């Protein structure tokens, strides 16, 4: 919080405490505060008329103790920093701005099955999170879905910062499941058959890890309430077991399904970025990215705003889109993973990489990588 004439303070409290504070005027460090501002499942208690450089943040001020959503294990006083298992590749601003909404047309019955189940999942997620998705806009941007504008449980209101966070938290809480399921099943298959996996396991685990980092990042901005946690718990139980059984039946359909799902994720984050650019999300205009995001994506100075964070996350989703569509084009038990393979014939020609420098929006065909 920044002050000019007199000391100021901002208090972040949960709903139960906020209800009590609304009945009385509290005094914090000698400053009267009597105005409650809702922030997802929290309320920011702030004196009317005061401005902040970070008006929508759950990072508490020095006067208060910060609540750590993911505390370190007990007895780990000697551990300060745990380096990531997978270091994130460096994205340039030009590369992230080049990300486009794209759709891979269905070419056989497997693709049609994948699209059908993706549409069912998307409908349920839109309804649960109150996401409004205009039909014409979705079609113009290449989305196959094209759902009508759905009335959410809070009414047909435009997307606000709170509604965006609800959707993003729910989305990222289940997005890390497919990669983990696929990696675990391929790992067991490799052990069972005493065969190499040809590099698939590492990429799938890295994808699951990356999606979880998205969740940890947005959890630093807003914490879900009890109902949201229950929804996440229920969704994970159904989602994990469904993916487990489906991957046993047809890994190719599962990768295509995830590829189509990532297409919709790219569209979702594209719309969020446009809302920020069009001034529809004023609380995010000057909101800084959490420290965990700065360290994970190596965000440079001057490019650490909420909009920059959305650009990085969208680029990750575009990478997952490319990876899963490519894996869906390969022979599942024979072909090597092109994203970790070395191309000895001609390394100078474009080929799949871990970064987005050679990103192919709808995936690589088998003839291009094998």
């Amino acid at each position: 919080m920044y002050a000019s004439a007199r000391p100021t303070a901002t208090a972040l409290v949960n709903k139960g405490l906020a209800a009590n504070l609304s009945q009385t005027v509290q005094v914090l460090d000698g400053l009267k505060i009597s105005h409650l501002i809702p922030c997802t499942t929290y309320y920011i208690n702030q004196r009317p008329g005061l401005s902040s450089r970070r008006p929508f943040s759950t990072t508490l001020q020095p006067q208060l103790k910060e609540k750590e959503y993911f505390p370190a294990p007990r007895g780990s006083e000697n551990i300060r920093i745990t380096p990531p298992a997978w270091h994130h590749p460096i994205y340039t601003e030009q590369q992230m701005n080049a990300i486009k909404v794209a759709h891979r047309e269905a070419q056989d019955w497997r693709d049609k099955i994948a699209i059908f189940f993706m549409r069912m999942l998307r409908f349920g997620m839109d309804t649960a999170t109150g996401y409004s998705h205009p039909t014409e806009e979705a079609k113009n941007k290449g989305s196959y879905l094209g759902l009508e504008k759905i009335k959410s449980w809070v009414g047909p209101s435009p997307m606000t910062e709170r509604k965006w966070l609800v959707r993003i938290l729910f989305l990222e809480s289940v997005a890390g499941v497919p990669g983990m399921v696929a990696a675990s099943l391929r790992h067991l298959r490799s052990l069972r058959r005493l065969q190499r996996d040809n590099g698939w396991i590492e990429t799938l685990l890295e994808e699951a890890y990356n999606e979880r980092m998205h969740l940890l990042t947005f959890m630093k901005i807003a914490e879900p309430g009890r109902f949201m946690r229950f929804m996440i718990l229920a969704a994970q139980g159904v989602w994990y077991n469904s993916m487990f059984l489906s991957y046993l039946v047809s890994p190719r359909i599962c990768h295509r399904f995830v590829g189509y799902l990532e297409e919709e994720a790219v569209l979702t984050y594209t719309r969020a970025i446009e809302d920020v650019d069009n001034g529809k999300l004023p609380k995010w205009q000057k909101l800084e990215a959490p420290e965990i995001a700065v360290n994970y994506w190596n965000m440079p100075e001057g490019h650490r705003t909420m909009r920059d964070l959305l650009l990085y996350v969208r680029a990750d989703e575009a990478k997952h889109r490319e990876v899963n569509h490519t894996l869906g084009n390969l022979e599942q038990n024979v072909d090597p993973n092109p994203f970790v393979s070395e191309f000895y014939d001609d390394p100078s020609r474009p080929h799949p990489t871990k970064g987005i420098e050679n990103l192919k929006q709808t995936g690589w065909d088998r003839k291009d990588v094998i």
Side-chain angles (χ1 to χ4, degrees):
M1 200 67 191
Y2 298 86
S4 56
R6 56 176 301 185
T8 60
T10 299
L12 182 66
V13 296
N14 58 30
K15 286 184 175 179
L17 182 56
N20 296 331
L21 288 176
S22 63
Q23 303 298 326
T24 59
V25 177
Q26 301 294 326
V27 178
L28 180 62
D29 290 343
L31 173 66
K32 291 185 177 182
I33 49 180
S34 60
H35 184 59
L36 296 178
I37 303 177
C39 179
T40 310
T41 58
Y42 287 95
Y43 290 88
I44 296 180
N45 207 13
Q46 189 177 37
R47 185 163 62 101
L50 293 180
S51 60
S52 171
R53 295 184 184 178
R54 299 188 65 183
F56 189 76
S57 171
T58 58
T59 302
L60 305 186
Q61 305 307 321
Q63 296 93 333
L64 302 177
K65 183 179 179 181
E66 179 180 3
K67 179 179 179 181
E68 178 58 64
Y69 303 139
F70 301 95
R74 294 181 180 179
S76 59
E77 293 80 7
N78 295 327
I79 299 177
R80 293 295 178 264
I81 298 177
T82 302
W86 291 279
H87 294 278
H88 196 281
I90 301 298
Y91 294 161
T92 66
E93 185 176 2
Q94 182 180 5
Q95 291 172 348
M96 292 188 292
N97 289 328
I99 300 297
K100 303 297 182 183
V101 174
H103 171 63
R104 183 186 185 278
E105 296 295 336
Q107 300 179 6
D108 55 25
W109 61 272
R110 299 184 187 89
D111 294 351
K112 294 179 180 179
I113 291 177
I115 288 179
F116 173 76
F117 283 105
M118 183 277 294
R119 295 178 70 182
M120 289 183 58
L121 179 64
R122 178 64 191 264
F123 178 82
M125 186 173 296
D126 286 355
T127 304
T129 60
Y131 181 66
S132 298
H133 192 176
T135 304
E136 292 304 322
E137 182 178 353
K139 289 182 178 179
N140 293 336
K141 292 193 175 186
S143 170
Y144 181 85
L145 193 63
L147 291 177
E148 294 181 357
K149 188 172 182 179
I150 300 173
K151 290 184 178 180
S152 66
W153 33 265
V154 294
S157 57
M159 293 298 292
T160 62
E161 292 90 349
R162 178 185 181 277
K163 292 181 69 177
W164 272 117
L165 286 173
V166 168
R167 176 171 182 78
I168 290 173
L169 287 172
F170 190 79
L171 174 66
E172 299 298 348
S173 69
V174 298
V177 171
M180 182 60 66
V181 171
S184 62
L185 287 176
R186 295 190 68 92
H187 172 73
L188 293 176
R189 181 182 182 279
S190 177
L191 297 177
R192 184 171 63 252
R193 298 197 175 188
L194 306 178
Q195 295 177 351
R196 295 177 63 89
D197 181 66
N198 296 325
W200 288 50
I201 295 175
E202 177 185 352
T203 295
L204 294 170
L205 285 176
E206 186 175 6
E207 176 181 318
Y209 175 83
N210 176 256
E211 297 286 11
R212 190 177 67 90
M213 288 301 299
H214 293 175
L215 177 63
L216 300 188
T217 297
F218 286 105
M219 283 285 289
K220 287 294 185 179
I221 301 176
E223 182 185 20
R226 293 182 180 179
F227 179 72
M228 184 68 174
R229 291 176 182 272
F230 173 77
M231 289 178 60
I232 292 174
L233 176 64
Q236 187 182 90
V238 176
W239 181 229
Y240 182 91
N241 289 285
S242 299
M243 285 299 303
F244 181 86
L245 296 175
S246 300
Y247 205 86
L248 288 175
V249 176
S250 178
R252 177 175 293 180
I253 293 179
C254 288
H255 285 299
R256 185 71 69 218
F257 166 79
V258 176
Y260 285 134
L261 202 61
E262 297 294 353
E263 290 180 4
E264 299 302 319
V266 172
L267 175 61
T268 294
Y269 284 107
T270 298
R271 293 196 67 230
I273 294 170
E274 290 179 350
D275 282 357
V276 173
D277 293 340
N278 295 331
K280 297 180 180 180
L281 305 174
K283 296 177 183 177
W284 285 4
Q285 292 293 334
K286 296 183 180 180
L287 179 62
E288 299 175 5
E291 189 67 22
I292 186 175
V294 175
N295 295 333
Y296 177 64
W297 280 284
N298 295 300
M299 301 173 72
E301 288 284 350
H303 295 276
R304 298 177 178 179
T305 64
M306 186 64 179
R307 185 185 186 280
D308 295 315
L309 174 60
L310 294 175
L311 284 173
Y312 277 99
V313 175
R314 184 182 67 169
D316 286 344
E317 304 296 359
K319 186 63 183 180
H320 301 328
R321 176 185 63 186
E322 176 199 36
V323 169
N324 281 278
H325 276 318
T326 301
L327 297 181
N329 293 334
L330 304 180
E331 295 295 334
Q332 303 297 296
N333 300 326
V334 179
D335 292 339
N337 176 12
F339 294 95
V340 295
S341 302
E342 294 184 7
F343 289 73
Y344 293 100
D345 55 346
D346 185 7
S348 62
R349 71 181 176 91
H351 59 273
T353 64
K354 286 191 174 183
I356 59 175
E357 58 271 14
N358 295 328
L359 184 70
K360 205 163 188 177
Q361 307 286 353
T362 57
W364 297 76
D365 292 331
R366 185 174 185 273
K367 60 182 178 60
D368 296 330
V369 295
I370 301 299

